[in-house]
PDB file of all heavy atoms in Angstrom:
ATOM      1  N   GLY A  70      26.777  -1.893  57.165  1.00 90.00           N
ATOM      2  CA  GLY A  70      25.809  -2.568  56.230  1.00 90.00           C
ATOM      3  C   GLY A  70      24.480  -1.954  56.407  1.00 90.00           C
ATOM      4  O   GLY A  70      24.136  -1.214  57.335  1.00 90.00           O
ATOM      5  N   LEU A  71      23.557  -2.247  55.499  1.00 88.00           N
ATOM      6  CA  LEU A  71      22.172  -1.724  55.472  1.00 88.00           C
ATOM      7  C   LEU A  71      21.338  -2.598  56.392  1.00 88.00           C
ATOM      8  O   LEU A  71      21.365  -3.809  56.375  1.00 88.00           O
ATOM      9  CB  LEU A  71      21.661  -1.787  54.047  1.00 88.00           C
ATOM     10  CG  LEU A  71      20.349  -1.080  53.769  1.00 88.00           C
ATOM     11  CD1 LEU A  71      20.476   0.354  54.040  1.00 88.00           C
ATOM     12  CD2 LEU A  71      19.969  -1.303  52.306  1.00 88.00           C
ATOM     13  N   LYS A  72      20.631  -1.849  57.257  1.00 83.00           N
ATOM     14  CA  LYS A  72      19.708  -2.510  58.190  1.00 83.00           C
ATOM     15  C   LYS A  72      18.344  -2.546  57.525  1.00 83.00           C
ATOM     16  O   LYS A  72      17.778  -1.569  57.306  1.00 83.00           O
ATOM     17  CB  LYS A  72      19.673  -1.797  59.553  1.00 83.00           C
ATOM     18  CG  LYS A  72      18.774  -2.430  60.588  1.00 83.00           C
ATOM     19  CD  LYS A  72      18.852  -1.622  61.880  1.00 83.00           C
ATOM     20  CE  LYS A  72      18.005  -2.285  62.897  1.00 83.00           C
ATOM     21  NZ  LYS A  72      17.956  -1.567  64.171  1.00 83.00           N
ATOM     22  N   GLY A  73      17.840  -3.755  57.252  1.00 80.00           N
ATOM     23  CA  GLY A  73      16.622  -3.827  56.517  1.00 80.00           C
ATOM     24  C   GLY A  73      16.843  -3.604  55.039  1.00 80.00           C
ATOM     25  O   GLY A  73      17.962  -3.843  54.524  1.00 80.00           O
ATOM     26  N   GLU A  74      15.868  -3.211  54.328  1.00 80.00           N
ATOM     27  CA  GLU A  74      15.939  -3.099  52.897  1.00 80.00           C
ATOM     28  C   GLU A  74      16.014  -1.648  52.413  1.00 80.00           C
ATOM     29  O   GLU A  74      16.458  -1.429  51.311  1.00 80.00           O
ATOM     30  CB  GLU A  74      14.704  -3.798  52.202  1.00 80.00           C
ATOM     31  CG  GLU A  74      14.633  -5.262  52.683  1.00 80.00           C
ATOM     32  CD  GLU A  74      14.459  -6.123  51.443  1.00 80.00           C
ATOM     33  OE1 GLU A  74      14.287  -5.631  50.288  1.00 80.00           O
ATOM     34  OE2 GLU A  74      14.516  -7.337  51.705  1.00 80.00           O
ATOM     35  N   GLU A  75      15.609  -0.720  53.204  1.00 84.00           N
ATOM     36  CA  GLU A  75      15.540   0.679  52.735  1.00 84.00           C
ATOM     37  C   GLU A  75      16.631   1.547  53.446  1.00 84.00           C
ATOM     38  O   GLU A  75      16.925   1.357  54.587  1.00 84.00           O
ATOM     39  CB  GLU A  75      14.160   1.241  53.073  1.00 84.00           C
ATOM     40  CG  GLU A  75      13.069   0.596  52.260  1.00 84.00           C
ATOM     41  CD  GLU A  75      11.759   1.402  52.315  1.00 84.00           C
ATOM     42  OE1 GLU A  75      11.855   2.581  52.616  1.00 84.00           O
ATOM     43  OE2 GLU A  75      10.705   0.809  52.100  1.00 84.00           O
ATOM     44  N   VAL A  76      17.093   2.487  52.646  1.00 85.00           N
ATOM     45  CA  VAL A  76      18.020   3.458  53.127  1.00 85.00           C
ATOM     46  C   VAL A  76      17.282   4.364  54.140  1.00 85.00           C
ATOM     47  O   VAL A  76      16.182   4.876  53.798  1.00 85.00           O
ATOM     48  CB  VAL A  76      18.672   4.246  52.005  1.00 85.00           C
ATOM     49  CG1 VAL A  76      19.555   5.356  52.503  1.00 85.00           C
ATOM     50  CG2 VAL A  76      19.451   3.386  51.053  1.00 85.00           C
ATOM     51  N   PRO A  77      17.844   4.675  55.338  1.00 89.00           N
ATOM     52  CA  PRO A  77      17.153   5.556  56.223  1.00 89.00           C
ATOM     53  C   PRO A  77      16.954   6.986  55.626  1.00 89.00           C
ATOM     54  O   PRO A  77      17.870   7.444  54.914  1.00 89.00           O
ATOM     55  CB  PRO A  77      18.058   5.615  57.473  1.00 89.00           C
ATOM     56  CG  PRO A  77      19.328   4.847  57.123  1.00 89.00           C
ATOM     57  CD  PRO A  77      19.095   4.181  55.810  1.00 89.00           C
ATOM     58  N   VAL A  78      15.902   7.565  55.937  1.00 91.00           N
ATOM     59  CA  VAL A  78      15.631   8.958  55.523  1.00 91.00           C
ATOM     60  C   VAL A  78      16.465   9.892  56.376  1.00 91.00           C
ATOM     61  O   VAL A  78      16.423   9.846  57.595  1.00 91.00           O
ATOM     62  CB  VAL A  78      14.127   9.294  55.583  1.00 91.00           C
ATOM     63  CG1 VAL A  78      13.784  10.753  55.229  1.00 91.00           C
ATOM     64  CG2 VAL A  78      13.272   8.306  54.762  1.00 91.00           C
ATOM     65  N   PRO A  79      17.199  10.812  55.755  1.00 93.00           N
ATOM     66  CA  PRO A  79      18.089  11.765  56.519  1.00 93.00           C
ATOM     67  C   PRO A  79      17.228  12.748  57.313  1.00 93.00           C
ATOM     68  O   PRO A  79      16.203  13.197  56.775  1.00 93.00           O
ATOM     69  CB  PRO A  79      18.912  12.414  55.506  1.00 93.00           C
ATOM     70  CG  PRO A  79      18.450  12.001  54.125  1.00 93.00           C
ATOM     71  CD  PRO A  79      17.420  10.953  54.301  1.00 93.00           C
ATOM     72  N   GLU A  80      17.634  13.026  58.483  1.00 95.00           N
ATOM     73  CA  GLU A  80      16.958  14.018  59.290  1.00 95.00           C
ATOM     74  C   GLU A  80      17.056  15.363  58.646  1.00 95.00           C
ATOM     75  O   GLU A  80      18.063  15.702  58.051  1.00 95.00           O
ATOM     76  CB  GLU A  80      17.527  13.996  60.732  1.00 95.00           C
ATOM     77  CG  GLU A  80      17.300  12.780  61.486  1.00 95.00           C
ATOM     78  CD  GLU A  80      18.237  11.623  61.185  1.00 95.00           C
ATOM     79  OE1 GLU A  80      19.115  11.729  60.261  1.00 95.00           O
ATOM     80  OE2 GLU A  80      18.136  10.509  61.775  1.00 95.00           O
ATOM     81  N   LYS A  81      16.033  16.229  58.887  1.00 95.00           N
ATOM     82  CA  LYS A  81      16.079  17.549  58.282  1.00 95.00           C
ATOM     83  C   LYS A  81      16.949  18.496  59.166  1.00 95.00           C
ATOM     84  O   LYS A  81      17.428  19.458  58.654  1.00 95.00           O
ATOM     85  CB  LYS A  81      14.651  18.101  58.156  1.00 95.00           C
ATOM     86  CG  LYS A  81      13.939  17.397  57.020  1.00 95.00           C
ATOM     87  CD  LYS A  81      12.550  17.971  56.819  1.00 95.00           C
ATOM     88  CE  LYS A  81      11.850  17.159  55.672  1.00 95.00           C
ATOM     89  NZ  LYS A  81      10.468  17.507  55.484  1.00 95.00           N
ATOM     90  N   THR A  82      16.950  18.200  60.461  1.00 96.00           N
ATOM     91  CA  THR A  82      17.841  18.981  61.356  1.00 96.00           C
ATOM     92  C   THR A  82      18.678  18.065  62.189  1.00 96.00           C
ATOM     93  O   THR A  82      18.216  16.998  62.609  1.00 96.00           O
ATOM     94  CB  THR A  82      16.945  19.944  62.276  1.00 96.00           C
ATOM     95  OG1 THR A  82      16.072  19.074  63.063  1.00 96.00           O
ATOM     96  CG2 THR A  82      16.147  20.908  61.507  1.00 96.00           C
ATOM     97  N   LEU A  83      19.909  18.532  62.428  1.00 96.00           N
ATOM     98  CA  LEU A  83      20.821  17.741  63.231  1.00 96.00           C
ATOM     99  C   LEU A  83      21.266  18.622  64.437  1.00 96.00           C
ATOM    100  O   LEU A  83      21.298  19.807  64.341  1.00 96.00           O
ATOM    101  CB  LEU A  83      22.074  17.408  62.423  1.00 96.00           C
ATOM    102  CG  LEU A  83      21.984  16.315  61.421  1.00 96.00           C
ATOM    103  CD1 LEU A  83      23.337  16.220  60.655  1.00 96.00           C
ATOM    104  CD2 LEU A  83      21.667  14.974  62.055  1.00 96.00           C
ATOM    105  N   ASN A  84      21.652  17.963  65.454  1.00 97.00           N
ATOM    106  CA  ASN A  84      22.343  18.636  66.557  1.00 97.00           C
ATOM    107  C   ASN A  84      23.549  17.815  66.946  1.00 97.00           C
ATOM    108  O   ASN A  84      23.712  16.724  66.390  1.00 97.00           O
ATOM    109  CB  ASN A  84      21.469  18.852  67.801  1.00 97.00           C
ATOM    110  CG  ASN A  84      20.871  17.576  68.377  1.00 97.00           C
ATOM    111  OD1 ASN A  84      21.475  16.525  68.264  1.00 97.00           O
ATOM    112  ND2 ASN A  84      19.677  17.637  68.943  1.00 97.00           N
TER     113      ASN A  84
END
Side-chain angles (χ1 to χ4, degrees):
L71 190 59
K72 184 178 179 182
E74 303 232 351
E75 292 192 25
V76 174
V78 176
E80 294 79 358
K81 291 182 180 172
T82 59
L83 284 177
N84 61 27

